[in-house]
Amino acid sequence: MLRSKDIALLNDFVVLCEVGNMTRAAKELNTTQSAVTQRMQRLESALNTSLMKRHSRGIEPTEQGKILLSYISRLNLLVDDAIAEIAAWEGSPVGAVSIGLPPSVSAVLTTPLIFAVKNSLPGIELTVAEAFSGYLEGWLETGEIDFAFVFNRTSTPQIEVTHLLCEELYLICNSELNSKLPDELEVKDLERIPLIAPSRRHGLRTEVQKEANKQGIDLNIVLEIDAGHQLIRQIELGLGAAILARSSVMPELTTGTLFNKRIVKPSFTRTVSLAVRRQKAESYLLKRVEEVLLKVVTELIQTDKWPADIYDQSTR
């Protein structure tokens, strides 16, 4: 039986049939005549048939040998096709990739990311899913998405996390509330401000609540919303303020629809990271998309379109 380790013998057989002589075949293969003879005997033994016949002019394939040559020719064509497909893949890979973005990240990243992937990797079918990070982590673990942006997370045996940036969190409010508040707020000031917040399953809510408990104050949560666009809409309507990164409301801050107040004593910051399942981390397709994604994030920060600091690995 011909095994994978015997495949190399096929090339020797082709060379021998082409030159028709053991001595010339040995020279072509940079080996000895006895080695070529032994290798052909191994090949015939593996296939349990005679592949060559000798005559006065040298060596030529038997009928069985001719059948083998035809299959080797087809095998070479398959190899050529594989090489061509791999070359095309490396130039512009083809496939589907899904990325989960929390609303605060989606607001600043979705459009430039879509354009960048379309321009750099036209063969990629990109799907962007928006949800709060708590939901995205679950989707990532079950394989429903390939990447997820997460906050203040570390790697696990199943999930590989790459820290990308750090950003400060602010109190975001409408013009009416903005006029009534100082430019800087302490955590204890939040007790008298109506707040709109995500539900308790989300890390930001937990972090703010923990600090409030430490300060001995009760947060005035007037509304819980697990939908980013609706949360922003309720702030605009004056139903309350929210603790968010400025990236989540950049259009509204730019147009003056919403305003931000710095929170001090203490300030709130978060680390934004890219997460991927370890079993997919070495995928060539995902690595190419990740390269584009990281480039887009870096450019957004450097051009102040994403108010954040690139994560400094050396200081952590």
Side-chain angles (χ1 to χ4, degrees):
M1 179 182 294
L2 189 67
R3 301 182 183 277
S4 58
K5 65 180 181 180
D6 300 318
I7 295 298
L9 302 178
L10 299 179
N11 179 64
D12 295 1
F13 177 63
V14 171
V15 171
L16 179 57
C17 291
E18 287 176 345
V19 300
N21 180 280
M22 282 286 184
T23 302
R24 289 200 295 272
K27 185 177 180 179
E28 186 78 17
L29 295 168
N30 194 30
T31 187
T32 63
Q33 181 175 335
S34 61
V36 175
T37 300
Q38 291 173 5
R39 290 168 70 82
M40 291 304 96
Q41 288 173 347
R42 279 177 52 196
L43 182 60
E44 289 182 324
S45 175
L47 294 173
N48 194 29
T49 189
S50 175
L51 298 173
M52 296 160 292
K53 57 184 178 183
R54 296 178 181 270
H55 52 71
S56 57
R57 297 183 302 279
I59 295 175
E60 66 179 25
T62 62
E63 291 303 315
Q64 297 94 322
K66 292 177 181 178
I67 293 173
L68 180 60
L69 283 173
S70 69
Y71 276 92
I72 294 173
S73 177
R74 290 158 64 181
L75 180 61
N76 287 336
L77 289 175
L78 286 174
V79 172
D80 290 341
D81 288 343
I83 293 172
E85 185 171 342
I86 290 171
W89 174 275
E90 292 184 343
S92 182
V94 177
V97 175
S98 55
I99 300 176
L101 304 179
S104 58
V105 172
S106 177
V108 69
L109 182 58
T110 297
T111 298
L113 177 60
I114 289 173
F115 276 101
V117 171
K118 183 177 180 180
N119 291 332
S120 301
L121 303 170
I124 298 297
E125 180 184 336
L126 182 66
T127 299
V128 177
E130 182 178 313
F132 278 91
S133 58
Y135 296 109
L136 295 179
E137 290 173 28
W139 294 349
L140 184 66
E141 291 175 357
T142 59
E144 294 178 68
I145 55 177
D146 298 309
F147 291 111
F149 273 76
V150 295
F151 304 122
N152 301 330
R153 291 292 183 266
T154 56
S155 297
T156 69
Q158 293 77 33
I159 304 297
E160 180 178 307
V161 172
T162 302
H163 301 316
L164 303 182
L165 58 97
C166 295
E167 57 184 350
E168 189 173 355
L169 304 178
Y170 292 75
L171 183 78
I172 305 299
C173 59
N174 70 355
S175 59
E176 182 180 354
L177 185 55
N178 177 65
S179 65
K180 299 176 182 178
L181 297 175
D183 290 337
E184 291 188 347
L185 300 168
E186 297 183 17
V187 171
K188 63 183 181 181
D189 296 325
L190 299 178
E191 187 173 31
R192 59 187 176 86
I193 299 173
L195 295 176
I196 304 172
S199 61
R200 295 179 182 274
R201 66 169 291 170
H202 299 289
L204 173 59
R205 171 74 177 273
T206 302
E207 183 181 351
V208 175
Q209 187 68 60
K210 186 185 300 183
E211 185 58 37
N213 294 340
K214 188 184 299 184
Q215 298 277 347
I217 66 171
D218 293 322
L219 295 176
N220 181 21
I221 306 293
V222 297
L223 190 60
E224 289 187 352
I225 298 181
D226 281 350
H229 296 300
Q230 285 302 317
L231 188 151
I232 294 171
R233 177 60 176 156
Q234 305 316 308
I235 300 173
E236 291 175 331
L237 292 175
L239 296 185
I243 299 174
L244 301 169
R246 286 183 293 168
S247 58
S248 61
V249 289
M250 282 300 291
E252 291 80 8
L253 292 176
T254 301
T255 59
T257 306
L258 294 179
F259 299 84
N260 61 264
K261 300 291 187 180
R262 187 181 296 274
I263 302 173
V264 297
K265 297 182 181 181
S267 60
F268 292 103
T269 61
R270 69 180 181 189
T271 300
V272 182
S273 307
L274 182 66
V276 61
R277 295 174 71 195
R278 289 192 183 277
Q279 66 184 57
K280 286 188 173 184
E282 296 305 314
S283 162
Y284 176 77
L285 178 63
L286 296 192
K287 282 185 175 295
R288 290 296 304 275
V289 173
E290 183 177 353
E291 290 172 4
V292 174
L293 193 155
L294 296 180
K295 182 179 179 181
V296 171
V297 170
T298 300
E299 290 177 350
L300 288 171
I301 294 174
Q302 291 175 342
T303 56
D304 294 325
K305 295 177 181 177
W306 192 335
D309 295 316
I310 295 174
Y311 189 89
D312 187 355
Q313 301 285 348
S314 65
T315 62
R316 305 292 167 172

